[in-house]
């Protein structure tokens, strides 16, 4: 099985009233250069008549919180594994988002460098159930956000307020539902 690290190149968003209760899901474009079997999985899964199975596990390296990892163990239609590398300082919000909406779209950069370029091309939805826990994540993320807001000149309670406002705004965006538009002709 492949145990390669897969970098995230871009993160976009897609909302569909027929997918994941209409939640706005992250659309993650990954570099499959070092893991062609993951790219193959995405392509084959799109054509498979049965759903694929994936087990997801969050992880991090002790004493180094610069990156966190989402291990994806695909069981069918092709058995393979990879670790999505998520830099906390620049893409920590992706971890929060995945945990909040319990899933994401995954697509190889072979089909475009961002969500709008990859629309209509092979992509899969990965469900990350609420049972996939990451107990140390709140502490890791808070430390990263604190560092960010300190660098912006915030101090003391203003940092806490900024973190809470930032998280609240994220959730407001993530849980927006696409609207059905009807016109009377």
């Amino acid at each position: 099985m492949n145990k390669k690290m897969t970098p995230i190149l871009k993160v976009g968003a897609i909302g569909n009233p027929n997918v994941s209760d209409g939640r706005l899901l992250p659309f993650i474009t990954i570099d499959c250069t070092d893991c062609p079997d993951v790219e193959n999985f995405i392509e084959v899964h799109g054509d498979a008549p049965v759903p694929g199975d994936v087990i997801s596990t969050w992880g991090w390296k002790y004493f180094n919180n610069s990156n966190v990892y989402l291990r994806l163990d695909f069981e069918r239609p092709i058995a393979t594994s990879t670790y999505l590398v998520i830099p906390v300082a620049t893409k920590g919000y992706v971890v929060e988002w995945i945990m909040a909406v319990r899933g994401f779209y995954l697509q190889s950069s072979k089909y475009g460098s961002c969500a709008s370029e990859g629309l209509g091309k092979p992509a899969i939805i990965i469900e990350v159930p609420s049972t996939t826990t990451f107990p140390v994540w709140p502490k890791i993320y808070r430390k990263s956000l604190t560092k960010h807001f300190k660098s912006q000149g915030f101090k003391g309670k203003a940092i806490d307020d900024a973190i809470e406002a930032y998280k609240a705004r994220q959730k407001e965006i993530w849980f927006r539902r696409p609207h059905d538009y009807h016109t009377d002709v």
Side-chain angles (χ1 to χ4, degrees):
M1 270 194 180
N2 173 13
K3 302 272 190 214
K4 303 247 182 191
M5 301 292 177
T6 307
I8 294 175
L9 299 178
K10 293 277 185 167
V11 178
I14 295 203
N16 181 329
N18 301 317
V19 175
S20 195
D21 297 325
R23 292 186 297 268
L24 190 63
L25 295 179
F27 189 100
I28 298 175
T29 304
I30 58 172
D31 180 358
C32 291
T33 303
D34 293 331
C35 51
D37 48 340
V38 173
E39 185 174 277
N40 190 33
F41 176 88
I42 293 169
E43 291 172 351
V44 170
H45 185 274
D47 296 330
V50 295
D53 290 329
V54 63
I55 297 170
S56 52
T57 310
W58 292 105
W60 79 104
K61 291 181 180 177
Y62 289 107
F63 307 112
N64 181 355
N65 295 333
S66 60
N67 292 318
V68 295
Y69 306 89
L70 181 57
R71 179 180 171 163
L72 300 173
D73 292 310
F74 301 102
E75 296 179 350
R76 62 180 180 149
I78 296 172
T80 189
S81 292
T82 194
Y83 291 82
L84 297 184
V85 180
I86 306 170
V88 176
T90 58
K91 291 187 172 65
Y93 70 93
V94 174
V95 176
E96 287 279 298
W97 192 359
I98 290 170
M99 293 172 113
V101 298
R102 298 182 306 278
F104 61 98
Y105 285 89
L106 187 66
Q107 185 174 63
S108 167
S109 60
K110 173 181 177 179
Y111 299 105
S113 63
C114 61
S116 61
E117 291 176 6
L119 287 176
K121 297 180 180 130
I124 57 173
I125 297 173
I126 307 257
E127 290 185 44
V128 180
S130 59
T131 55
T132 305
T133 61
F134 193 15
V136 299
W137 173 246
K139 184 177 178 181
I140 292 170
Y141 194 44
R142 183 165 195 83
K143 183 177 178 182
S144 176
L145 289 176
T146 298
K147 184 176 180 180
H148 169 74
F149 285 115
K150 276 185 180 179
S151 75
Q152 300 294 313
F154 289 81
K155 294 181 175 149
K157 183 163 174 16
I159 292 172
D160 294 335
D161 294 344
I163 289 171
E164 293 312 310
Y166 177 74
K167 287 181 168 186
R169 180 68 179 139
Q170 286 177 321
K171 288 179 180 168
E172 180 183 313
I173 293 167
W174 299 336
F175 287 101
R176 227 180 250 163
R177 301 282 201 261
H179 299 287
D180 291 336
Y181 294 99
H182 302 281
T183 57
D184 294 327
V185 180

